[in-house]
Amino acid sequence: MCDAIWKCVRNSRIIGISGHIRPDGDCIGAAMSMYLYIKKMYSDKHVYVYFESIPERFRYIKGIDEAVTNYEDKNADLFISVDCSDPERLGEARRMFEKADFTVNIDHHISNLSFADVNHFAADSSSTCEVLYELYDKNAVDYDIAACLYTGISHDTGVFKYSNTSKRTMQIAGELIEKGIDFTEILEKTFFEKTYVQNLMLGRCLLESKRILNDRVIVTAATQEMMDEYGADKDDLDGIVNAILQTKGAEAAVFVYQLGDDEYKVSLRASGSADMSRIALLYGGGGHVKAAGCTIKGNAKAGLESLLRELESELEKV
Ligand SMILES: [Mn+2]
């Protein structure tokens, strides 16, 4: 599989790389590591990387200023999708994907649709960055590539806390640390540090939260009105759902925030074995057993009520 991917790279001249919309640490780390790796190992290639947006906290990543965020109609011989389970989630980059002569899909989501010419996904890997590390020549993984990969692995494992963390994950993290990366700084700046506005939103969402289903689930929401009040945008809501789940007795957390007039994003987290991805899939979303998300359009109250009924029946199974 490894060979098939690098053969595609060798046979291409222009290579486009992208991940999913609303990119997270694993998506940014994976795409940027691939960008730096191809530039290093195949210097005759023209490579570009596209993100829908680049959260400020990832600005330390080498080469990130070269990433494109304004979608331009570009042609690529080869398009590499990373950390994306479904071509829909490529957003604007989907056009690039469809026009490319050849496509590669590298991921770790169990729900991956195998939508490319070459599909490589390892559902037992913690992150796409872990999958990529196994594909790279370890000697070529330098400081900058290691920083990308460590970012992705640490973010997708909740800093090595989630059950997707394996012995191999820790070995890889150790090998990346050996490259001299400042892991304390990476974790502090990209994972733990919050802006004042983010903390205000977290505080408000905790205050407004409700315990339901015999206190097994905590649910809260951020409305556009609330976000306006604190000058927050949707990037300021990262981590709220995880913080809510970190409550004694909570088996699941549901966080809803407003995307548009009649559009709401729902993030689902579970601490036990209740399957959040099954619920998200019912509403056209996806994700993992313990962390998933979907979008509800139209009547938010009715949509949320039906989703919570699904959650209740999911909890009855465990
Ligand atoms: Mn990921």
Side-chain angles (χ1 to χ4, degrees), residues 1 5 103-106 112-121:
M1 184 50 75
I5 292 168
T103 55
V104 169
N105 156 28
I106 305 171
N112 193 288
L113 298 177
S114 295
F115 54 88
D117 297 316
V118 171
N119 300 284
H120 179 57
F121 61 96

Side-chain angles (χ1 to χ4, degrees), residues 26 83 108-109 156:
D26 190 32
D83 201 37
H108 70 118
H109 294 94
D156 261 23

Side-chain angles (χ1 to χ4, degrees), residues 20 24 26-27 83 107-109 126-129 152 156 288:
H20 56 78
D24 57 10
D26 190 32
C27 177
D83 201 37
D107 189 26
H108 70 118
H109 294 94
S126 66
S127 52
T128 300
C129 282
D156 261 23
H288 307 276

Side-chain angles (χ1 to χ4, degrees), residues 20-25 28 51-59 69 155 189-202 205 222-224 227-228 230-242 255 257-259 265 267:
H20 56 78
I21 47 172
R22 291 191 285 276
D24 57 10
I28 299 243
F51 296 114
E52 184 191 46
S53 59
I54 303 171
E56 265 321 297
R57 62 185 182 282
F58 297 120
R59 283 283 166 200
T69 50
H155 276 243
K189 292 287 178 211
T190 68
F191 195 89
F192 292 108
E193 190 177 88
K194 300 286 176 224
T195 64
Y196 188 61
V197 167
Q198 285 173 324
N199 279 333
L200 288 177
M201 284 304 299
L202 171 63
C205 289
T223 61
Q224 191 56 51
M227 281 151 72
D228 291 345
Y230 301 106
D233 61 36
K234 59 184 188 317
D235 285 340
D236 294 318
L237 308 174
D238 278 359
I240 290 178
V241 70
N242 295 319
F255 176 54
Y257 68 87
Q258 202 166 358
L259 285 174
K265 170 87 204 244
S267 296

Side-chain angles (χ1 to χ4, degrees), residues 129-142:
C129 282
E130 182 174 329
V131 179
L132 287 174
Y133 182 76
E134 305 287 21
L135 295 177
Y136 295 158
D137 171 352
K138 309 292 175 279
N139 294 319
V141 174
D142 56 23

Side-chain angles (χ1 to χ4, degrees), residues 214-235:
N214 293 325
D215 297 346
R216 295 170 80 188
V217 176
I218 303 184
V219 55
T220 192
T223 61
Q224 191 56 51
E225 228 177 1
M226 271 161 72
M227 281 151 72
D228 291 345
E229 186 179 337
Y230 301 106
D233 61 36
K234 59 184 188 317
D235 285 340

